[in-house]
């Protein structure tokens, strides 16, 4: 049997096996797609959230800012008035408000909680700008410099733009790592690897078919995700360089397969392989930025995230699919993912064994 004939035969067998396995079909295709539908339905029409600020009593500089630039201020803050300082502080402490602002003479006091550093930092920065503007106005001198702020995304940018690439990355990582580790352990424990070794089919055809089928399934995931996200209900807009997601997906699949191969080559039982895979995939999903923006995380979490290949896949797809960056922006991520796949493949080769003996 020629290598090409073996490759085609094995590929057909693997595809049929995948389609017949309802569990694999559900967790590889339908389960991640369900998350996209839920996240897109709940958050899809949301844009950048506004910080809730309580104005306690009369805060003159804040009232002046609302009168002079109310429309711009409304984009970042939702201001409510109150006369109860104690109640306002309690709301801030419980997380129901980002800050409470009061004015005592010429002193503007911002009460905030350290629980949400991102939101409180935004509020403090905005209020500091308001106070500085009021100080300049009080001197009667025009400012030398003028600050102009522009949002990099237009006002139509929605959360679906970020959920689609990140949840797709999680789906690809789960399918790649779980699929490779479980397949390798199952084949070894059931003696399939031993029979393949003795069959006329070259080993290169066996692993080539496994990789080809995995890449094909990933392409199907990409098409389904984009088809669902681009429905009018969700409204995903793809940028001009979105097609670079294809080589990103391929390189990501290779990286995740190599990790799964390492786990499958090391583990002696399916239970061990499943446990280790979960210990790898779950932290990678959260620290790779699939469920929340990693840039909003503490510094130590951002530092750890660089260890996981999912971060590079998510970042690359976000750059070309929704941020409008050019094709070249994905090249560093592709190089890193391919490098991980090479290293993982070498480690898996060293750990690989045909049977449990």
């Amino acid at each position: 049997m020629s290598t090409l004939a073996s490759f085609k035969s094995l590929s057909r067998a693997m595809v049929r096996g995948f389609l017949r396995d309802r569990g694999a079909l559900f967790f590889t295709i339908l389960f991640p797609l369900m998350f996209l539908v839920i996240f897109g339905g709940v958050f899809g029409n949301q844009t950048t959230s506004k910080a809730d600020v309580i104005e306690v009593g009369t805060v003159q500089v804040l009232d002046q800012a609302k009168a002079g630039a109310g429309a711009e201020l409304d984009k970042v803050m939702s201001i409510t008035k109150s006369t109860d300082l104690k109640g306002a502080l309690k709301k801030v402490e419980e997380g129901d408000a980002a800050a409470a602002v009061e004015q005592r003479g010429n002193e503007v006091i911002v009460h905030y909680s350290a629980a949400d550093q991102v939101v409180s930092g935004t509020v403090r920065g905005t209020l500091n700008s308001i106070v500085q503007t009021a100080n300049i106005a009080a001197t009667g001198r025009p400012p030398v410099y003028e600050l102009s702020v522009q949002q990099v995304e237009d006002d139509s940018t929605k959360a679906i733009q970020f959920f689609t690439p990140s949840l797709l990355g999680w789906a690809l990582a789960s399918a790649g790592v779980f699929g490779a580790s479980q397949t390798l352990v199952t084949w070894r424990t059931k003696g399939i690897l031993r029979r393949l070794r003795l069959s006329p089919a070259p080993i290169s055809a066996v692993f080539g078919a496994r990789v080809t089928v995995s890449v094909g399934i990933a392409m199907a995931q990409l098409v389904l995700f984009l088809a669902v996200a681009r429905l009018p209900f969700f409204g995903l807009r793809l940028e001009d360089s979105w097609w670079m997601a294809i080589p990103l997906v391929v390189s990501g699949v290779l990286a995740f397969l190599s990790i799964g191969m390492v786990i499958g080559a090391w583990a002696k039982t399916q239970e061990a392989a499943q446990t280790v895979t979960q210990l790898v995939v779950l932290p990678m999903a959260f620290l790779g930025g699939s469920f929340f923006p990693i840039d909003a995380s503490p510094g130590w979490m951002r530092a750890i995230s660089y260890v996981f290949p999912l971060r590079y896949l998510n970042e690359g797809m976000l750059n070309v699919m929704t941020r409008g960056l050019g094709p070249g922006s994905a090249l560093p991520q592709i190089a890193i993912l391919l490098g991980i796949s090479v290293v993982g493949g070498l480690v898996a080769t060293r750990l690989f064994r045909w049977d449990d003996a």
Side-chain angles (χ1 to χ4, degrees):
M1 182 182 292
S2 66
T3 301
L4 182 58
S6 301
F7 172 80
K8 290 181 178 179
S9 178
L10 288 167
S11 297
R12 283 196 297 268
M14 290 177 186
V15 170
R16 289 172 183 168
F18 172 76
L19 295 177
R20 290 171 182 170
D21 188 342
R22 295 182 180 179
L25 199 60
F26 174 77
F27 284 105
T28 301
I29 303 294
L30 299 181
F31 188 63
L33 203 60
M34 182 178 67
F35 268 80
L36 177 66
V37 172
I38 293 173
F39 278 46
V42 175
F43 304 107
N45 292 322
Q46 293 186 5
T47 54
T48 306
S49 59
K50 294 191 291 186
D52 293 322
V53 176
I54 302 174
E55 181 182 354
V56 182
T58 300
V59 182
Q60 187 177 4
V61 293
L62 191 56
D63 291 338
Q64 290 174 350
K66 287 191 291 184
E72 293 298 319
L73 197 59
D74 285 342
K75 292 181 179 180
V76 294
M77 291 195 306
S78 176
I79 302 173
T80 57
K81 283 184 170 290
S82 175
T83 56
D84 182 9
L85 177 60
K86 185 177 180 180
L89 294 179
K90 185 175 182 180
K91 286 186 176 181
V92 174
E93 185 178 356
E94 294 176 350
D96 295 329
V101 186
E102 62 171 325
Q103 185 170 351
R104 300 175 187 173
N106 292 330
E107 183 182 11
V108 177
I109 304 173
V110 181
H111 304 274
Y112 69 95
S113 172
D116 193 334
Q117 295 285 351
V118 176
V119 175
S120 63
T122 301
V123 172
R124 284 179 288 162
T126 302
L127 292 173
N128 180 65
S129 177
I130 290 173
V131 170
Q132 294 302 322
T133 301
N135 287 334
I136 292 172
T139 64
R141 298 178 181 177
V144 178
Y145 302 102
E146 179 181 358
L147 176 66
S148 177
V149 294
Q150 295 181 351
Q151 183 177 331
V152 294
E153 306 92 357
D154 59 36
D155 292 336
S156 63
T157 299
K158 300 177 182 179
I160 192 66
Q161 302 290 117
F162 302 94
F163 281 133
T164 302
S166 59
L167 290 178
L168 174 60
W170 166 63
L172 295 172
S174 299
V177 179
F178 271 101
S181 62
Q182 292 297 306
T183 298
L184 188 55
V185 173
T186 301
W187 284 7
R188 185 170 60 248
T189 55
K190 292 186 177 181
I192 298 175
L193 282 179
R194 189 184 303 113
R195 289 195 293 270
L196 286 172
R197 186 183 186 185
L198 298 175
S199 72
I203 299 302
S204 59
V206 176
F207 288 98
R210 176 72 264 182
V211 171
T212 301
V213 170
S214 297
V215 171
I217 293 171
M219 290 297 108
Q221 289 177 293
L222 174 62
V223 171
L224 283 173
F225 263 70
L226 295 183
V228 172
R230 284 181 61 81
L231 292 174
F233 178 76
F234 299 112
L236 172 68
R237 293 185 303 101
L238 292 174
E239 299 295 337
D240 293 339
S241 299
W242 72 269
W243 52 269
M244 279 297 292
I246 296 175
L248 274 164
V249 166
V250 173
S251 57
V253 168
L254 294 176
F256 300 132
L257 282 177
S258 70
I259 295 174
M261 292 290 287
V262 170
I263 297 172
W266 170 83
K268 295 182 179 180
T269 63
Q270 289 184 344
E271 292 77 11
Q274 190 172 23
T275 300
V276 175
T277 301
Q278 289 176 342
L279 291 175
V280 171
V281 172
L282 289 179
M284 183 164 59
F286 285 96
L287 294 175
S290 286
F291 298 112
F292 58 87
I294 195 66
D295 292 338
S297 304
W300 65 269
M301 289 183 65
R302 293 197 299 272
I304 294 176
S305 70
Y306 286 103
V307 176
F308 298 102
L310 185 54
R311 176 192 172 104
Y312 303 102
L313 177 61
N314 286 341
E315 184 178 6
M317 289 197 297
L318 279 169
N319 287 342
V320 298
M321 290 173 66
T322 63
R323 289 173 176 161
L325 301 184
S329 65
L331 296 181
Q333 286 80 20
I334 291 175
I336 292 173
L337 291 170
L338 291 177
I340 292 172
S341 66
V342 171
V343 173
L346 293 175
V347 174
T349 301
R350 293 293 300 271
L351 296 175
F352 179 78
R353 59 191 185 279
W354 291 101
D355 50 42
D356 293 329

